[in-house]
Amino acid sequence: MQRGSLTIAVPRETAAGERRVALTPDAVAALVKLGLAVVVERGAGDGAAHADAAYEKAGATIAPDAAATLAGATVVVKVQKPTAAEAEQLPEGCVLIAFLQALTSPELIRTLAARRITSFGMEAIPRISRAQKMDALSSQANLAGYKAVLIAAASLPKFFPMLMTAAGTVFAARVLVLGAGVAGLQAIATARRLGAQVWGYDVRAAAAEQVESLGAKFLAFDIGVADAEDKGGYATALSADAAQRQQQQLAAKIADFDVVVTTALVPGRAAPRLVPAASVAAMRPGSVIVDLAAEAGGNCELTEADETVVVHGVTIHGPTNLPATMPVHASQLYARNVTELLRELVKDGALALDFEDEVLRGACITHAGAITNQAAAAAAGASA
Amino acid sequence: MTTDLEVGLYIFMLAGFLGYHIITRVPPLLHTPLMSATNAIAAISLVGSLVVAGGDYSDVENGWICTLLGFIAVACSSTNAVGGFLITDRMLRMFKTAEERARGVKRPVELQAFAFVVALFGSIAAILYWTRPTDMTMGDYLHHHVAPEALRYAYIASAAMFVLGLKGLSSPKWARSGIALAALGMLLAVVGTLFHEHIVTYTWIVIGLAIGTVIGAWMGLSIPMTAVPQRTAISHSLGALAACLVGVSEYFRFQGALDRVTLTALSFEVVVGGLTFTGSLIAAAKLQEIMQGRPITYKGQNLISMTLLAIIVGSAGWLVYTQAATPFFYVMVALAFVFGILLVVPIGAADMPVVIALLNSYGGLADAAMGFMLSNKIQIITGSLDGTSGFLLALLMCRAMNRSAANVLFGAFGSVSEDDVAAAAESKGTVRSITADETAVLFETAQNVVVVPGYGMAVAQAQHAVAELGNILRERGATVRYAIHPVAGRMPGHMNVLLAEANVPYDQLVEMEAINPSFPEADIVLVVGANDVTNPAARTNKASPLYGMPILEVDRAKSIIVLKRSMRPGFAGVDNELYYDEKCLMLFGDAKDSITKLISEMKSLL
């Protein structure tokens, strides 16, 4: 390879329903300006409304297929984790950047380690102020929270806002958002802007202030736990006892709402069961649940991933990849996250991996044949 | 005499209250010009000096000593006056309004007008001088033609000008006109004094004034702005020296044969004037770093200082009691000089501004005492204004530094412990706080405002208040932009959601990269509950957890006002060094309350 010509490969996403692309033409142009070469697989940007011509104009080379794209690549950037077959296709020793879901895909992680691939999981970027520009979980969750409310509004057989008209008064929809992370907060903001009455709930003590900072109300009840937040700002799992108390009290309140959007996730674990079947049964017919934790098993007992089910007259949505339904902005934001990470990896047109750096060390899953991320190593080891 | 004393005391008291109320309205931003301005006004000791320098001492043995002392006093106090007003004006020129900037006014109109007035008076004086009959002295000639009442009315007019001048300092908009007015008042008082019935000869007055004007003008115009505190201190020591010399001259003239009231005033004047003279010199030396800045302490310091003070007070009392002519009077003056040195030497450089304000106050009191001695009302008024304002300023500064007044006052007597010194060296500086009404005053002249919203705005739900403030500023013709940091708040787009709710148009929202280059042009950056995203440590301090994070470079703006609930650190848990920036003022409280108050203050200022 020529000196300084570090090549970044953007293969087409193959997962079902995935319409995002890891780099947009704008991002490609920025990288080309840094002196990097970019190879984009034909049609990679189609889903996100970016034609091959736009990539070529931005300075990328278009490759006819995945094999040609990956050949000679130093860095491979993707949105979704590679399938087993794709992982085998990656050039040995290359750098891979994608949502690797390292804690739940041990097989893949072992393969990557065996192939001496340096992999960075976008989901593992540390949650520190400096790394926020690379925080793809946030950028994508933001889209998901917004879309979840739109889905709820579209399938709710009611208005969101309150309207006093000559034909009578319509009361505002009551929306409950469980989990006040990025997706939850954006869901709260969006539901508020559509005119609903909005409540938020989270086990983290700081969340009350954040919910109220968006003008919503915090649903407060006592579960006997002061705070359940780890130092990265994510929720920790509750004890069985506290979880049971929480479930009972929540279950009693859920019936009051027209819309429940659930976003509660604990990293690396099954999603907490916040909405049991009994609660769904108690809700008014026509109510809507949008479960953003469907992929991790769902916050609602009756959720089916990627399905919409109607039980007791309550519509339950279980979308697993909402960002892919807004591929233009989702790709724009993800591409920016990836570009910022690349800026950390590349110095003067060559790879310079500084593992002293907190961000790189945190995001790195495998390197030089080893699984460097402790949690991922534990997950991969446990299932080996 | 008794009634005169009573009237004097009433005037002293009322002027003190007036000074207190005027000074409390002056925003911290204008404290330095205020100090310089009161210092210039303290040069009213010039009025007394003129009388002494031009007096008739033909019946006094060695009367030339009185004239000499008066001459030195005139030179010193006119230096103080000219330099003081010039430097204050230079300082205030920095608070130009956008209108003036647009017109590109370089030479201030006030100065031109002032020069014209001086020239006018000068030519009238010259004409009078040449037309006088040869057999008359100038003094007799003037007293023949001008009634003594003219002087008193001139004093009343100048007293009003001083008060209005200080009042002008409560807003950057009026500050320069105010100072010009005060300078005019000073000129009027001086010219009026030239008609004083005790003045018979003008030779030494003219020479003294010329020397003082030249030195004062040189000081006022050539000294770099960074050396302003030293200059204030030096000019101040000259004013105090003048007061002291006038007192000495009077004592010499009457050899102690004065009534007890006058003697009390005289003793007070020479002692306070003397200690202010040396104290200010030491302060200037410390500020100029001729002397080491840190406090110099020694064992038994308190004891020595207090003993000295007791001796001085005791001897003053004895002098007043005996009403005798004794050389011991001059020993007392010398002791006052020594005491001034002991007073300031143990104080650290960081406390110097407080000390200068305090010395300013002493200087004012010495002036007032001179007024009592010479039965001169304008000096009582000015001295009282100056005394209270200096003292109040010192208190305000203590509060701004989070030090108790007692600490600083008794710190002056050497109670600064080693721990305090170490702590002062360690601390990053002081945080200046501001109130809503003071903030409103600052916004009056701001033409380019950038609002930096943060999580604090969200928590306080202050978005509607912020938007209303922006609308008001826009209506007044200011440019208002909202600088949105990409990670402001706790959710991506948090600020957008809130500002959209408050109907802030999208075109007023500016991204970080787009706004950063324009911060240096911003008159005021209003930080509404944003913290980490404005922390300059992200740019400068490699040890900071924020290092490398792009920030809104608000520290490059001309002034920064931070709305914050408390000094608690932000999300990243680190202290924000922005708050210790000397351009930064903190408006503590709930963001919504603060802005609501600010808006109502701004409306009331209209």
Side-chain angles (χ1 to χ4, degrees):
Chain A
M1 204 184 300
Q2 284 169 7
R3 191 176 63 88
S5 70
L6 185 150
T7 308
I8 296 167
V10 185
R12 204 157 56 84
E13 297 296 321
T14 53
E18 185 53 77
R19 294 167 63 197
R20 290 173 291 178
V21 60
L23 290 179
T24 57
D26 284 346
V28 168
L31 293 171
V32 168
K33 215 171 151 193
L34 285 181
L36 310 180
V38 182
V39 181
V40 178
E41 185 177 346
R42 174 173 295 150
D46 284 355
H50 295 302
D52 293 341
Y55 282 102
E56 277 185 308
K57 203 173 158 208
T61 316
I62 302 296
D65 53 32
T69 308
L70 297 175
T74 333
V75 180
V76 177
V77 292
K78 279 180 66 35
V79 178
Q80 297 282 1
K81 64 185 180 189
T83 60
E86 283 170 341
E88 292 297 335
Q89 251 186 334
L90 293 170
E92 185 135 345
C94 77
V95 173
L96 172 68
I97 297 171
F99 278 120
L100 293 174
Q101 315 301 1
L103 301 184
T104 50
S105 26
E107 201 64 44
L108 171 68
I109 301 307
R110 280 196 296 272
T111 310
L112 293 176
R115 307 211 57 230
R116 306 186 60 78
I117 284 164
T118 303
S119 59
F120 293 97
M122 290 304 282
E123 74 283 1
I125 299 275
R127 269 201 130 188
I128 57 173
S129 295
R130 184 168 66 82
Q132 272 174 297
K133 59 193 174 191
M134 307 169 220
D135 187 352
L137 275 188
S138 288
S139 74
Q140 305 300 301
N142 199 20
L143 294 141
Y146 169 82
K147 196 60 179 275
V149 170
L150 295 192
I151 289 172
S155 61
L156 184 72
K158 290 180 166 187
F159 266 121
F160 259 34
M162 178 178 190
L163 298 169
M164 292 165 164
T165 76
T169 296
V170 164
F171 288 102
R174 293 164 59 87
V175 175
L176 173 64
V177 177
L178 298 177
V182 172
L185 290 174
Q186 185 57 260
I188 288 170
T190 308
R192 288 249 312 141
R193 291 168 88 172
L194 287 176
Q197 276 189 288
V198 186
W199 281 259
Y201 174 72
D202 198 295
V203 285
R204 294 170 299 126
E209 190 186 68
Q210 293 171 13
V211 166
E212 283 158 9
S213 82
L214 286 160
K217 299 183 191 74
F218 189 73
L219 192 68
F221 45 76
D222 183 26
I223 57 166
V225 174
D227 194 5
E229 179 172 337
D230 69 11
K231 66 180 185 335
Y234 285 110
T236 53
L238 290 172
S239 66
D241 184 38
Q244 199 194 353
R245 265 200 305 275
Q246 167 183 277
Q247 201 172 16
Q248 281 168 357
Q249 301 204 35
L250 243 187
K253 303 231 177 199
I254 282 171
D256 291 341
F257 293 94
D258 299 300
V259 171
V260 178
V261 177
T262 69
T263 71
L265 284 168
V266 180
R269 287 168 173 267
R273 274 288 147 77
L274 302 176
V275 186
S279 293
V280 177
M283 290 176 84
R284 285 183 291 271
S287 302
V288 178
I289 295 173
V290 182
D291 192 341
L292 291 186
E295 199 170 18
N299 292 134
C300 173
E301 194 178 346
L302 302 174
T303 299
E304 285 176 37
D306 284 322
E307 297 287 338
T308 298
V309 293
V310 180
V311 187
H312 309 299
V314 177
T315 311
I316 305 170
H317 297 276
T320 57
N321 193 359
L322 283 180
T325 66
M326 300 165 67
V328 173
H329 277 159
S331 302
Q332 178 197 321
L333 300 175
Y334 183 76
R336 177 66 180 269
N337 296 141
V338 169
T339 309
E340 293 294 346
L341 178 60
L342 283 171
R343 281 182 204 274
E344 302 283 319
L345 302 182
V346 175
K347 293 277 168 312
D348 302 322
L351 264 190
L353 303 181
D354 173 15
F355 286 104
E356 293 300 306
D357 184 290
E358 189 184 357
V359 178
L360 293 200
R361 200 172 55 231
C364 185
I365 306 296
T366 63
H367 178 64
I371 303 175
T372 54
N373 183 295
Q374 285 181 4
S383 63
Chain B
M1 191 65 211
T2 320
T3 43
D4 215 24
L5 174 70
E6 276 172 15
V7 170
L9 286 174
Y10 277 125
I11 292 178
F12 180 77
M13 190 176 71
L14 291 175
F17 279 120
L18 194 59
Y20 176 86
H21 281 285
I22 291 174
I23 302 309
T24 36
R25 293 290 295 182
V26 175
L29 182 74
L30 290 173
H31 276 177
T32 317
L34 172 70
M35 197 148 80
S36 171
T38 52
N39 171 235
I41 291 174
I44 193 69
S45 55
L46 178 56
V47 167
S49 315
L50 289 174
V51 177
V52 172
D56 177 9
Y57 302 110
S58 48
D59 55 344
V60 181
E61 204 185 332
N62 284 329
W64 60 272
I65 292 183
C66 293
T67 311
L68 176 68
L69 290 176
F71 161 68
I72 299 175
V74 167
C76 287
S77 47
S78 52
T79 308
N80 185 358
V82 174
F85 281 117
L86 281 176
I87 201 93
T88 312
D89 190 68
R90 259 177 77 193
M91 233 184 284
L92 289 172
R93 233 178 290 168
M94 296 189 296
F95 300 99
K96 244 188 273 184
T97 63
E99 198 187 327
E100 282 171 344
R101 228 171 281 142
R103 276 195 283 131
V105 181
K106 286 217 180 71
R107 191 167 295 278
V109 228
E110 293 90 340
L111 266 188
Q112 285 172 351
F114 196 73
F116 173 74
V117 172
V118 172
L120 190 72
F121 278 122
S123 32
I124 292 174
I127 292 168
L128 283 176
Y129 185 76
W130 294 116
T131 55
R132 103 195 122 105
T134 41
D135 57 338
M136 268 178 128
T137 62
M138 189 67 195
D140 283 340
Y141 178 64
L142 283 180
H143 301 146
H144 259 280
H145 285 79
V146 182
E149 283 81 16
L151 171 60
R152 283 182 237 145
Y153 289 114
Y155 280 170
I156 291 174
S158 32
M161 286 179 181
F162 285 152
V163 172
L164 288 174
L166 284 182
K167 173 79 183 115
L169 275 172
S170 55
S171 151
K173 209 158 132 193
W174 301 113
R176 287 193 64 205
S177 323
I179 286 306
L181 194 64
L184 209 58
M186 179 65 80
L187 185 67
L188 190 61
V190 169
V191 171
T193 309
L194 293 179
F195 299 104
H196 196 284
E197 51 193 342
H198 288 166
I199 297 181
V200 290
T201 164
Y202 290 88
T203 321
W204 294 108
I205 291 180
V206 171
I207 299 177
L209 280 177
I211 294 175
T213 309
V214 169
I215 299 177
W218 170 78
M219 260 168 80
L221 294 175
S222 69
I223 275 182
M225 290 313 273
T226 47
V228 164
Q230 295 91 298
R231 192 223 57 90
T232 308
I234 287 180
S235 142
H236 195 235
S237 75
L238 291 178
L241 179 63
C244 181
L245 291 182
V246 167
V248 172
S249 159
E250 285 292 292
Y251 185 83
F252 182 80
R253 177 178 181 178
F254 296 105
Q255 294 294 320
L258 291 159
D259 62 275
R260 290 207 170 107
V261 173
T262 313
L263 262 184
T264 311
L266 193 148
S267 312
F268 187 83
E269 180 195 344
V270 292
V271 168
V272 176
L275 71 88
T276 309
F277 168 60
T278 47
S280 300
L281 278 186
I282 297 291
K286 282 196 168 196
L287 286 166
Q288 189 62 42
E289 289 165 10
I290 297 170
M291 265 178 77
Q292 58 168 323
R294 66 173 191 80
I296 300 163
T297 49
Y298 50 89
K299 258 200 178 145
Q301 181 178 309
N302 274 344
L303 193 69
I304 291 175
S305 301
M306 295 316 282
T307 314
L308 192 58
L309 183 65
I311 292 174
I312 292 172
V313 171
S315 44
W318 181 68
L319 278 172
V320 171
Y321 178 71
T322 58
Q323 291 169 283
T326 157
F328 193 72
F329 174 80
Y330 304 105
V331 176
M332 184 181 80
V333 176
L335 287 180
F337 282 174
V338 175
F339 184 69
I341 298 174
L342 293 185
L343 197 63
V344 181
V345 159
I347 299 175
D351 287 343
M352 269 309 142
V354 180
V355 174
I356 290 182
L358 212 55
L359 288 172
N360 210 340
S361 161
Y362 293 163
L365 293 178
D367 272 346
M370 199 205 287
F372 279 110
M373 186 184 81
L374 301 173
S375 319
N376 185 331
K377 306 284 184 301
I378 183 87
Q379 283 190 290
I380 297 178
I381 294 173
T382 316
S384 175
L385 272 178
D386 216 25
T388 26
S389 67
F391 194 68
L392 187 63
L393 203 54
L395 287 185
L396 289 175
M397 284 174 170
C398 296
R399 208 188 299 162
M401 293 196 307
N402 284 326
R403 299 264 306 273
S404 73
N407 182 315
V408 173
L409 278 182
F410 294 106
F413 293 100
S415 73
V416 181
S417 72
E418 288 302 314
D419 287 349
D420 286 348
V421 177
E426 250 179 27
S427 79
K428 285 153 242 137
T430 51
V431 169
R432 277 151 285 263
S433 64
I434 189 175
T435 60
D437 50 340
E438 290 165 347
T439 313
V441 169
L442 296 182
F443 270 111
E444 252 182 70
T445 51
Q447 282 302 304
N448 186 341
V449 177
V450 179
V451 179
V452 177
Y455 185 53
M457 179 187 85
V459 170
Q461 288 285 292
Q463 63 270 26
H464 294 281
V466 168
E468 193 191 345
L469 176 67
N471 290 339
I472 291 175
L473 290 169
R474 268 173 184 263
E475 278 166 22
R476 295 183 174 192
T479 318
V480 180
R481 285 171 299 169
Y482 298 80
I484 312 295
H485 192 277
V487 302
R490 295 288 185 273
M491 173 191 97
H494 203 153
M495 297 303 120
N496 295 98
V497 167
L498 298 175
L499 292 174
E501 183 192 322
N503 288 323
V504 174
Y506 285 157
D507 61 6
Q508 294 176 17
L509 311 182
V510 191
E511 278 187 319
M512 178 175 69
E513 289 87 355
I515 195 119
N516 267 345
S518 55
F519 272 117
E521 283 109 63
D523 296 319
I524 296 182
V525 171
L526 184 70
V527 179
V528 188
N531 190 345
D532 293 343
V533 300
T534 61
N535 194 339
R539 217 170 46 219
T540 54
N541 181 2
K542 288 201 172 182
S544 170
L546 296 171
Y547 185 71
M549 183 179 90
I551 57 154
L552 289 164
E553 293 165 359
V554 300
D555 54 316
R556 300 197 202 276
K558 289 177 200 152
S559 62
I560 308 138
I561 297 170
V562 178
L563 303 188
K564 213 172 174 316
R565 282 169 292 183
S566 64
M567 285 301 288
R568 226 171 42 167
F571 182 76
V574 291
D575 210 11
N576 192 342
E577 53 190 65
L578 176 72
Y579 306 149
Y580 303 98
D581 191 314
E582 56 185 25
K583 290 182 297 184
C584 182
L585 299 162
M586 309 290 294
L587 179 50
F588 287 113
D590 175 85
K592 191 176 176 182
D593 291 349
S594 296
I595 295 181
T596 312
K597 263 188 232 151
L598 175 59
I599 289 172
S600 69
E601 287 290 339
M602 286 180 72
K603 285 180 175 163
S604 73
L605 276 174
L606 267 179

